[in-house]
């Protein structure tokens, strides 16, 4: 559990203080310091022990159905790298737990949707890959994002990837950035577009191009570093 070292000081000596009402609000949110009647408190954030000691929780999302799809493989590879750096990783498999189309009958009460939103809310960061169809992200990718809102992903960190059958470009990556801006999320500056994706992986699911693999490593490292900074700030 994170904790705050609190010192009671009088209102006359308070160089930096919090009002009693604000202090009570913080206590309600963090349950980590005492508020005494008619006193000011000076809060010094010493260390968020629970957060610092717990691993980052990262969710992988694929814009293709199935973990064995090319995008599923790319997300899995990114998650493996994150796990090697100490993250707790999760992959949302749309083949096992398909999300309904937004607006279809019964979708708003679908238990899979609730499970997905709860998992997204609990995660610190996301590693995402979509195929590019007709110059933009797949319908599967867009529908996945349509089920999360600011309260689920706002302020959280994203690492973006895309795959293409031909030459690589940034169309899908740019469109995902615009979408995440509306969700108040924070994609890192590093990104990855894998062209000629049918030839991109070897039999072990590794990227054939070592330079591409190093770029993926840099992307994951950036997500980990940024998410840690945000979480522990």
């Amino acid at each position: 559990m994170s904790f705050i070292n609190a010192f009671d000081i009088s209102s006359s000596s308070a160089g930096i203080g919090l009002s009693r009402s604000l202090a009570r609000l913080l206590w309600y949110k963090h349950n980590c310091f005492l508020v005494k009647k008619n006193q000011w408190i000076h809060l010094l954030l010493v260390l968020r022990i629970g957060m610092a000691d717990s691993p980052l929780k990262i969710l992988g999302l694929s814009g293709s159905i199935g973990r064995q799809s090319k995008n599923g493989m790319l997300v899995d590879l990114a998650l493996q790298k994150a796990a090697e750096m100490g993250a707790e990783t999760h992959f949302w498999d749309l083949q096992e737990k398909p999300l309904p189309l937004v607006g279809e009958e019964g979708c708003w009460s679908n238990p899979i949707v609730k499970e997905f939103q709860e998992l997204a809310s609990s995660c610190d960061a996301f590693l995402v890959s979509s195929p590019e169809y007709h110059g933009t992200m797949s319908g599967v990718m867009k529908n996945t994002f349509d089920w999360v809102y600011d309260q689920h992903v706002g302020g959280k960190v994203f690492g973006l990837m895309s795959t293409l059958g031909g030459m690589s470009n940034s169309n899908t990556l740019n469109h995902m950035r615009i979408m995440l801006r509306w969700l108040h999320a924070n994609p890192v500056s590093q990104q990855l577009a894998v062209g000629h994706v049918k030839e991109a992986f070897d039999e072990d699911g590794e990227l054939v191009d070592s330079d591409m693999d190093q770029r993926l490593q840099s992307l994951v490292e950036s997500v980990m570093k940024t998410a840690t900074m945000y979480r522990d700030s």
Side-chain angles (χ1 to χ4, degrees), residues 25-203:
L25 175 61
L26 289 172
W27 178 85
Y28 176 78
K29 291 183 67 177
H30 299 288
N31 192 26
C32 52
F33 62 87
L34 298 176
V35 179
K36 294 185 178 181
K37 186 177 181 180
N38 298 322
Q39 288 183 318
W40 292 74
I41 57 174
H42 182 201
L43 304 177
L44 298 175
L45 183 59
V46 179
L47 183 63
R48 292 192 171 186
I49 290 180
M51 288 185 175
D53 287 349
S54 63
L56 287 174
K57 189 173 181 179
I58 299 180
L59 178 59
L61 301 175
S62 170
S64 299
I65 296 176
R67 202 158 189 162
Q68 299 307 311
S69 66
K70 297 301 183 184
N71 287 275
M73 292 171 65
L74 185 57
V75 171
D76 247 344
L77 187 56
L79 290 175
Q80 288 173 27
K81 293 179 181 296
E84 289 170 359
M85 288 183 269
E88 173 189 337
T89 61
H90 301 263
F91 181 93
W92 187 269
D93 193 336
L94 290 168
Q95 198 161 36
E96 295 182 358
K97 296 180 179 180
L99 294 168
L101 288 174
V102 172
E104 76 173 42
E105 185 176 356
C107 68
W108 308 110
S109 58
N110 190 306
I112 294 179
V113 169
K114 182 178 181 182
E115 180 184 351
F116 175 63
Q117 291 174 335
E118 289 177 348
L119 178 59
S121 296
S122 72
C123 289
D124 301 296
F126 301 80
L127 291 166
V128 180
S129 182
S130 174
E132 182 164 311
Y133 295 151
H134 303 307
T136 190
M137 74 189 81
S138 67
V140 170
M141 188 85 271
K142 182 61 168 62
N143 189 68
T144 298
F145 276 110
D146 284 345
W147 280 118
V148 291
Y149 301 90
D150 173 78
Q151 64 263 37
H152 306 119
V153 301
K156 296 183 179 180
V157 179
F158 280 76
L160 301 180
M161 302 169 283
S162 68
T163 64
L164 304 95
M167 296 291 292
S168 64
N169 63 62
S170 300
N171 288 340
T172 292
L173 298 169
N174 290 337
H175 294 168
M176 287 198 288
R177 285 183 182 277
I178 293 171
M179 175 182 60
L180 289 169
R181 188 185 309 153
W182 285 90
L183 290 170
H184 301 155
N186 298 300
V188 297
S189 58
Q190 289 87 343
Q191 58 186 24
L192 185 68
V194 179
H196 302 289
V197 69
K198 290 183 179 180
E199 295 83 39
F201 295 91
D202 62 22
E203 294 180 354

